Amino acid sequence: MATWNASSPTASPCSSRRRTKAPARRPSSESPPPRKMKSMAEIMAKSVRVVVQEEEDEDEDEDSYGDVACEKCGSGEGDDELLLCDKCDKGFHMKCLRPIVVRVPIGPWLCVDCSDQRPVRRLSQKKILHFFRIEKQTDRTDKSDLSQETRKPRRRSCSLTVKKRRRKLLPLVPSDDPERRLTQMGTLATALTALGIKYIDGLNYVPGMAPRSANQSKFEKGGMQVLSKEDLETLEQCQAMCRRGECPPLVVVFDPLEGYTVEADGPIKDLTFIAEYTGDVDYLKNREKDDCDSIMTLLLSEDPSKTLVICPDKYGNISRFINGINNHNPVAKKKQNCKCVRYSIKGECRVLLVATRDISKGERLYYDYNGYEHEYPTHHFL
């Protein structure tokens, strides 16, 4: 029988000889000495006060930008509206820039001289006429002949019965001064150019949107009022006047709260035709998530999928800049001086803007967005 040797290299781990203590660690001369921590007083004594340095920098900035004035008007007032170019450090008021800057830009901003953008300059007379496609007048006799043709013959009433007089649309009365009319059209052209909108004097039908065949007044829910023959003649007369450059006495101005808005540049009588609401015609279902703030209802159909709207985000005229009222505020309701009326004209739906009372010079134009549906939220309107 074989015996087990404890000194054998193949000894079993179940040996009776076991270690009870770990071998003592030998001191090493290469180990680093223990680190000595600095006290907080020593750290604070050697630290630099950054806050004091920032305050000094702010004082230097205030001294360097304290005398900055607008390069356009020369005034240094309105610090909250004064923009500084990040390249040349020149100041510009947001209202003095062309186009006008509505909001403070986010991030770096460069002036016109330091950027590659071309400034929007004042349009010349030739460019204004070309912008609105105004017909040139070769002879004054043509204008007099046209006015005689549009003049309606007087009819003698033979009936003795008394009838209620129907109110008729009145044609617009343009300013007498041609230079003043160019200034009025120039304000509209500048506003349209600043927003990237092209001028159009009628409804625009674009492939991919609603076709012209969808715009039929017979599809209107409950029917639509038909424009009378006399009012149709007035509408055609006003459209011919606009093609000759005889625009309504209106100017487009910029307000820091309302944005672009329309003011009367002359007296306007009650029931005067102001403008037709123009733009791209599209289905309402395609514009439910559109961010355009000037969409106008054109046709209310029994089938909601066939309801049409006018979208003046790419094409439009001065009606796009007439603001709406807050119809939840009694004070705001008193500002309304015109209205939007939908008519059936030659079987098609059209939207006309008409004055509801006499408008004096300098008065701004307002109408109620909720003329029919009462669904447009106007709580945030001024």
Side-chain angles (χ1 to χ4, degrees), residues 349-367:
C349 303
R350 308 272 283 276
V351 181
L352 306 182
L353 278 165
V354 183
T356 56
R357 59 175 174 83
D358 293 342
I359 305 174
S360 58
K361 182 179 179 180
E363 187 177 354
R364 293 185 178 180
L365 274 63
Y366 295 94
Y367 71 99

Side-chain angles (χ1 to χ4, degrees), residues 152-188:
K152 295 174 290 186
R154 295 184 62 183
R155 296 181 180 179
R156 184 174 297 176
S157 177
C158 299
S159 177
L160 298 178
T161 58
V162 179
K163 295 182 179 179
K164 185 177 179 180
R165 192 172 184 179
R166 191 184 66 85
R167 304 183 70 185
K168 304 175 183 178
L169 292 180
L170 300 179
L172 58 91
V173 181
S175 302
D176 297 332
D177 187 8
E179 295 295 332
R180 189 59 193 167
R181 295 201 297 265
L182 283 175
T183 303
Q184 295 165 0
M185 290 186 292
T187 60
L188 174 58

Side-chain angles (χ1 to χ4, degrees), residues 21-41:
K21 293 183 181 181
R25 302 182 64 178
R26 297 179 181 180
S28 176
S29 59
E30 298 179 359
S31 61
R35 297 178 62 182
K36 183 180 179 181
M37 305 298 293
K38 295 182 179 180
S39 63
M40 184 60 66

Side-chain angles (χ1 to χ4, degrees), residues 208-210 282-290 303-309:
M209 298 185 185
D282 198 0
Y283 292 107
L284 177 61
K285 60 182 181 181
N286 298 338
R287 300 282 179 159
E288 290 180 349
K289 298 182 180 180
D290 201 319
D303 187 0
S305 62
K306 296 182 180 179
T307 298
L308 301 179
V309 292

Side-chain angles (χ1 to χ4, degrees), residues 65 67-79 81-94 96-97 109-113:
Y65 295 108
D67 299 333
V68 175
C70 179
E71 298 293 330
K72 299 292 184 181
C73 65
S75 174
E77 298 179 356
D79 297 340
E81 297 181 357
L82 194 63
L83 300 179
L84 295 180
C85 178
D86 292 331
K87 188 174 182 179
C88 63
D89 288 340
K90 293 182 180 180
F92 299 89
H93 282 127
M94 294 190 293
C96 298
L97 294 171
W109 177 81
L110 300 178
C111 63
V112 179
D113 298 333

Side-chain angles (χ1 to χ4, degrees), residues 239-260:
Q239 291 175 344
M241 294 171 64
C242 291
R243 287 193 292 268
R244 298 196 302 266
E246 300 174 4
C247 60
L250 302 172
V251 291
V252 182
V253 297
F254 180 81
D255 185 89
L257 297 178
E258 300 181 7
Y260 286 105

Side-chain angles (χ1 to χ4, degrees), residues 97-317:
L97 294 171
R98 294 295 180 272
I100 297 175
V101 179
V102 182
R103 300 179 182 87
V104 178
I106 300 175
W109 177 81
L110 300 178
C111 63
V112 179
D113 298 333
C114 298
S115 63
D116 298 333
Q117 296 180 358
R118 299 179 60 185
V120 180
R121 300 178 180 177
R122 183 180 178 182
L123 301 179
S124 61
Q125 177 180 354
K126 184 178 180 181
K127 290 184 178 180
I128 293 176
L129 297 177
H130 178 72
F131 186 88
F132 294 101
R133 300 186 293 274
I134 296 175
E135 302 173 355
K136 295 183 179 180
Q137 299 180 11
T138 55
D139 193 1
R140 293 184 178 180
T141 57
D142 298 340
K143 183 178 178 180
S144 60
D145 295 341
L146 184 60
S147 62
Q148 291 179 1
E149 292 177 0
T150 56
R151 207 177 284 172
K152 295 174 290 186
R154 295 184 62 183
R155 296 181 180 179
R156 184 174 297 176
S157 177
C158 299
S159 177
L160 298 178
T161 58
V162 179
K163 295 182 179 179
K164 185 177 179 180
R165 192 172 184 179
R166 191 184 66 85
R167 304 183 70 185
K168 304 175 183 178
L169 292 180
L170 300 179
L172 58 91
V173 181
S175 302
D176 297 332
D177 187 8
E179 295 295 332
R180 189 59 193 167
R181 295 201 297 265
L182 283 175
T183 303
Q184 295 165 0
M185 290 186 292
T187 60
L188 174 58
T190 302
L192 291 173
T193 304
L195 297 181
I197 301 175
K198 296 182 180 180
Y199 174 78
I200 191 171
D201 57 354
L203 298 178
N204 188 35
Y205 299 93
V206 182
M209 298 185 185
R212 187 165 188 172
S213 58
N215 183 17
Q216 298 185 29
S217 58
K218 63 181 181 180
F219 298 149
E220 174 70 17
K221 180 180 179 181
M224 181 178 293
Q225 56 181 335
V226 180
L227 189 68
S228 63
K229 183 179 180 181
E230 295 177 351
D231 291 342
L232 179 59
E233 293 176 355
T234 302
L235 175 62
E236 294 175 349
Q237 177 185 354
C238 294
Q239 291 175 344
M241 294 171 64
C242 291
R243 287 193 292 268
R244 298 196 302 266
E246 300 174 4
C247 60
L250 302 172
V251 291
V252 182
V253 297
F254 180 81
D255 185 89
L257 297 178
E258 300 181 7
Y260 286 105
T261 184
V262 180
E263 285 185 0
D265 200 33
I268 300 176
K269 293 184 178 181
D270 184 16
L271 279 180
T272 299
F273 170 76
I274 296 175
E276 179 182 357
Y277 210 94
T278 62
D280 295 333
V281 179
D282 198 0
Y283 292 107
L284 177 61
K285 60 182 181 181
N286 298 338
R287 300 282 179 159
E288 290 180 349
K289 298 182 180 180
D290 201 319
D291 57 351
C292 181
D293 58 349
S294 302
I295 295 180
M296 175 63 64
T297 302
L298 179 63
L299 172 64
L300 285 174
S301 176
E302 293 282 354
D303 187 0
S305 62
K306 296 182 180 179
T307 298
L308 301 179
V309 292
I310 304 175
C311 308
D313 51 351
K314 296 182 180 179
Y315 293 88
N317 60 358

Side-chain angles (χ1 to χ4, degrees), residues 3-17:
T3 60
W4 176 72
N5 189 5
S7 61
S8 176
T10 59
S12 173
C14 299
S15 175
S16 60
R17 298 178 60 186

